[in-house]
Amino acid sequence: MKSRIIKSRMTSEVREKKIKTNGIWLNVAEKGDEGEPLVLLLHGFPETWFSWRHQIDFLSSHGYHVVAPDLRGYADSDSPPTHESYTVSHLVADVIGLLDHYGTAQAFVAGHDWGAIIGWSLCLFRPDRVKGFVSLSVPYSPRDPNLKPSDLFKSFGDGLYITQFQEPGRAEAAFAKHDCLTVMKKFLLTTRSDFWVAPPNTEIIDDLEVPSTLPDWITEEEIQVYADKFQKSGFTGPLNYYRAMDLNWEILAPWQGYKIVIPTKFIAGDKDIGNEGANGTIKYVKGEMFKSIVPNLEVVVIEDGHHFIQQEMSERVSQEILSFFNKLRNITEWLMLSRFVQSDHRWAMDPDAVKSTLSNLAFGNVLAVAARDYKKEVLANEKAQSSNHVNEEVDLDELMDDPELEKLHADRIAALKREVEKREAFKRQGHGEYREVSEGDFLGEVTRSEKVVSHFYHKEFYRCKIMDKHLKTLAPRHVATKFIKVDAENAPFFVTKLAIKTIALRSAFQGIAIDRLVGFQDLGTKDDFSTTKLENVLIKKGMLSKKKKEEDDEDAEYQESIRRSVRSSENLDSDSE
């Protein structure tokens, strides 16, 4: 769909277009060169992409490709009718679809309010897709296994705004008593810092007040932009986010106790909703509990800031986001590009220097190994070239000034870095080895990875042991796919639910088995099939990535040893699956 260019004094040359993702159309605003790192900005309630107008201009002017969608249910994006379509699984899948649309493996992400909740969930479900996350106003809260959100809200009484939003149609009817411009002023301009609890028999929208004069951070024209969008789209879609909170609580059960490991910055105004007091948010985010579940954390509290902080304190927030993303961006580039030494008129990566620099980082040892491998490759190439051209005179100083050589050198380093980071991200999710998981952990394992091969086995079936041998061999060779096994006798729910036999291949998020093998029917029905045979079947089904040519040439003797080790015994029950 063609983009449309929006030009005004509020936003300069922002491109809007519709993108199909996760079965719906999202309207997105974007600015900046698509070749630059992607920054995804996720708004909250009741906002649109327009709430990020200042950050879109600022970040794009500093070398980022900035994309801000209208979230599902908002403004010009599709609005599914029921609250079941607004769970964090749906919202994260929308975001993943946007990243895939732009061909981006990882992005910087910032979220405000509900956008922050989506960002936290993205970091939890797919940490491999996030370079760094900035949360505005809403911190990550551990799931209480014994208390649903709706039960927690009841403790505040019927006046709590979230409780009033639960009943379909209630808030919509209350909002409809006011014009959209007034509704937007009541929300956007409030300076209340309590938990937004209305007096008895009063709707929260009636309890919020409109100030007599506008603050200097927003204009009547800008508020009207919001009013026009909500006049057209209504409020049901945005309110459905609140109505799906109990469903989110159920969905998040497999991640009980998990930490957010992505580098994170939390920004809030000191007068945001619920921030003040002994039990307020500010005390929580500065305390040890929050730091223990979000260990790679920075906290910034902005004095005299309220809830809609990215608009109210736009310059400060923009600078905070930029400094954080620049730091993460520069660290990865600097680590691989700055540690070079000049020796004998040649440039080579110094592995000892790299290892020293990375000693306190998670990828340090791995990158150091990559550095040593790269150095060996450079020296081997130089040796080969010198033997082939022993009589040629080469001006090494001139060679070092060759921009093409420098570009190849940098590209090689960047490629090494990307590959190592990708493999390590997969390994943090449990890839690279064949592991057994319990029924309770199964859902969490299959939803945290894009590709999963899961073997439901029976310990008495010899064919299951054959399959174990092959999958154990394939797991370290295909790190992009997770390999797990589940004892079928101890997983009655999933065995029944998924009609499991030998192997179930599942996709992330939807929780749907996308393909399966039953017995050995796709493997020639015999027991002495090769690992390569199984590998090719899984590649064909899309569960493994096709190997590079050099990886495809397998040693025949090795394959024969594998076949001998997994060959069926004479007493094999061929009906066992």
Side-chain angles (χ1 to χ4, degrees):
M1 184 172 292
K2 291 184 177 179
S3 301
R4 52 187 175 131
I5 306 298
I6 307 299
K7 285 187 179 182
S8 73
R9 72 178 186 83
M10 294 178 288
T11 55
S12 57
E13 296 186 0
V14 172
R15 308 183 296 275
E16 282 193 83
K17 66 181 180 181
K18 294 287 186 70
I19 294 175
K20 186 70 173 290
T21 170
N22 194 29
I24 65 171
W25 288 96
L26 292 185
N27 181 66
V28 303
E30 64 179 312
K31 188 176 181 181
D33 186 348
E34 291 195 13
E36 299 294 347
L38 180 67
V39 171
L40 194 63
L41 303 176
L42 307 174
H43 67 78
F45 174 90
E47 299 172 292
T48 67
W49 73 258
F50 189 67
S51 67
W52 294 106
R53 58 196 177 278
H54 305 294
Q55 288 73 38
I56 291 173
D57 282 344
F58 184 81
L59 295 173
S60 63
S61 70
H62 285 80
Y64 289 92
H65 175 211
V66 186
V67 173
D70 290 329
L71 299 177
R72 65 165 56 204
Y74 282 87
D76 295 316
S77 292
D78 285 353
S79 184
T82 63
H83 73 278
E84 290 89 350
S85 297
Y86 292 83
T87 68
V88 287
S89 292
H90 291 89
L91 300 169
V92 168
D94 291 348
V95 172
I96 295 296
L98 291 178
L99 299 185
D100 290 343
H101 171 84
Y102 287 102
T104 302
Q106 288 185 313
F108 296 104
V109 180
H112 172 248
D113 189 78
W114 266 104
I117 294 175
I118 299 170
W120 290 119
S121 300
L122 177 65
C123 292
L124 197 62
F125 295 165
R126 296 299 303 273
D128 58 307
R129 305 303 297 266
V130 186
K131 292 181 179 179
F133 175 52
V134 175
S135 170
L136 277 65
S137 299
V138 177
Y140 177 61
S141 298
R143 176 184 181 274
D144 187 331
N146 302 312
L147 188 65
K148 288 186 176 181
S150 59
D151 294 330
L152 172 64
F153 302 147
K154 289 176 183 177
S155 64
F156 290 88
D158 183 68
L160 182 69
Y161 74 103
I162 299 178
T163 299
Q164 294 186 358
F165 289 176
Q166 295 299 306
E167 181 184 342
R170 176 180 176 177
E172 291 93 327
F175 292 1
K177 296 177 183 178
H178 308 271
D179 61 82
C180 266
L181 185 63
T182 298
V183 171
M184 294 313 303
K185 286 182 177 180
K186 281 174 171 280
F187 279 119
L188 294 176
L189 305 181
T190 183
T191 56
R192 285 177 56 171
S193 59
D194 63 355
F195 282 106
W196 282 20
V197 179
N201 303 315
T202 304
E203 297 298 311
I204 192 67
I205 193 65
D206 298 327
D207 193 44
L208 295 173
E209 298 178 351
V210 176
S212 57
T213 58
L214 292 182
D216 58 8
W217 56 268
I218 197 166
T219 67
E220 190 86 12
E221 181 186 8
E222 288 172 320
I223 301 174
Q224 189 66 53
V225 171
Y226 291 109
D228 291 344
K229 293 298 182 183
F230 283 101
Q231 181 66 45
K232 178 182 177 182
S233 66
F235 289 92
T236 296
L239 290 167
N240 277 334
Y241 285 62
Y242 295 91
R243 294 163 186 164
M245 293 179 81
D246 278 353
L247 291 177
N248 291 340
W249 180 81
E250 295 175 6
I251 289 169
L252 289 169
W255 285 270
Q256 184 77 39
Y258 276 71
K259 297 180 180 181
I260 301 295
V261 298
I262 299 300
T264 302
K265 190 171 196 173
F266 178 78
I267 303 173
D270 63 346
K271 293 179 174 58
D272 200 344
I273 302 169
N275 273 8
E276 297 180 324
N279 297 316
T281 302
I282 296 301
K283 184 175 182 180
Y284 167 65
V285 298
K286 289 186 174 181
E288 292 304 315
M289 180 180 178
F290 187 55
K291 293 178 182 178
S292 70
I293 59 177
V294 188
N296 299 315
L297 174 69
E298 296 181 22
V299 174
V300 174
V301 178
I302 299 178
E303 187 176 356
D304 294 326
H306 298 87
H307 185 63
F308 298 95
I309 191 74
Q310 78 271 37
Q311 300 178 75
E312 180 187 29
M313 303 285 188
S314 61
E315 185 174 348
R316 172 72 184 279
V317 170
S318 297
Q319 289 284 0
E320 292 288 351
I321 294 174
L322 178 67
S323 65
F324 184 63
F325 288 165
N326 273 351
K327 179 174 67 175
L328 296 177
R329 180 181 180 180
N330 291 338
I331 283 175
T332 55
E333 293 177 354
W334 177 81
L335 287 173
M336 293 304 296
L337 297 178
S338 68
R339 289 292 186 168
F340 289 87
V341 294
Q342 188 173 20
S343 175
D344 297 330
H345 304 288
R346 297 191 300 270
W347 286 97
M349 183 179 289
D350 180 0
D352 294 328
V354 171
K355 187 171 183 178
S356 175
T357 303
L358 300 175
S359 60
N360 294 321
L361 297 178
F363 299 161
N365 291 334
V366 176
L367 288 176
V369 171
R372 283 193 292 271
D373 290 344
Y374 178 69
K375 184 174 183 179
K376 290 178 182 177
E377 181 179 329
V378 170
L379 294 175
N381 289 338
E382 289 174 346
K383 184 177 180 180
Q385 291 173 5
S386 64
S387 63
N388 291 336
H389 305 284
V390 65
N391 294 323
E392 294 183 13
E393 294 184 0
V394 180
D395 188 340
L396 292 177
D397 291 330
E398 180 179 344
L399 185 62
M400 284 312 306
D401 293 331
D402 186 347
E404 290 298 320
L405 181 60
E406 292 180 2
K407 183 178 184 303
L408 288 173
H409 196 90
D411 288 347
R412 172 62 176 165
I413 295 167
L416 276 172
K417 180 197 71 172
R418 289 193 299 270
E419 184 61 27
V420 169
E421 290 178 341
K422 185 189 298 183
R423 291 180 65 86
E424 287 305 305
F426 282 132
K427 288 182 179 179
R428 288 198 302 274
Q429 297 177 61
H431 293 230
E433 58 180 332
Y434 183 44
R435 299 177 293 113
E436 181 163 354
V437 301
S438 66
E439 184 179 51
D441 292 333
F442 176 73
L443 185 60
E445 291 285 352
V446 300
T447 54
R448 281 197 297 275
S449 298
E450 182 179 358
K451 295 181 179 181
V452 181
V453 172
S454 42
H455 176 203
F456 283 76
Y457 75 93
H458 192 294
K459 58 179 175 291
E460 299 299 330
F461 291 171
Y462 192 79
R463 282 188 169 181
C464 289
K465 297 177 182 178
I466 294 174
M467 190 60 67
D468 276 345
K469 294 278 189 177
H470 292 302
L471 295 179
K472 186 176 181 179
T473 301
L474 289 176
R477 291 168 54 183
H478 292 272
V479 180
T481 298
K482 180 183 289 183
F483 289 78
I484 59 175
K485 65 177 180 177
V486 183
D487 186 343
E489 289 187 305
N490 295 325
F493 174 80
F494 286 108
V495 168
T496 302
K497 185 75 173 176
L498 303 173
I500 294 299
K501 291 247 179 150
T502 299
I503 298 181
L505 311 181
R506 298 174 55 79
S507 62
F509 299 114
Q510 290 106 8
I512 299 171
I514 62 171
D515 211 337
R516 66 184 66 229
L517 300 179
V518 179
F520 289 177
Q521 63 185 20
D522 289 339
L523 300 167
T525 70
K526 296 183 179 181
D527 303 324
D528 60 348
F529 61 89
S530 67
T531 303
T532 303
K533 175 69 174 178
L534 175 61
E535 184 176 33
N536 289 334
V537 169
L538 294 178
I539 289 173
K540 184 177 180 180
K541 290 178 178 294
M543 293 311 297
L544 303 181
S545 299
K546 189 173 179 60
K547 298 175 296 178
K548 298 177 182 178
K549 186 178 186 307
E550 60 267 26
E551 297 172 342
D552 208 28
D553 299 329
E554 298 188 2
D555 182 79
E557 184 177 344
Y558 171 77
Q559 284 302 312
E560 179 59 26
S561 69
I562 292 293
R563 282 194 292 272
R564 287 196 301 269
S565 67
V566 300
R567 187 169 291 130
S568 170
S569 68
E570 294 180 358
N571 297 323
L572 177 67
D573 179 3
S574 62
D575 293 329
S576 296
E577 294 183 338

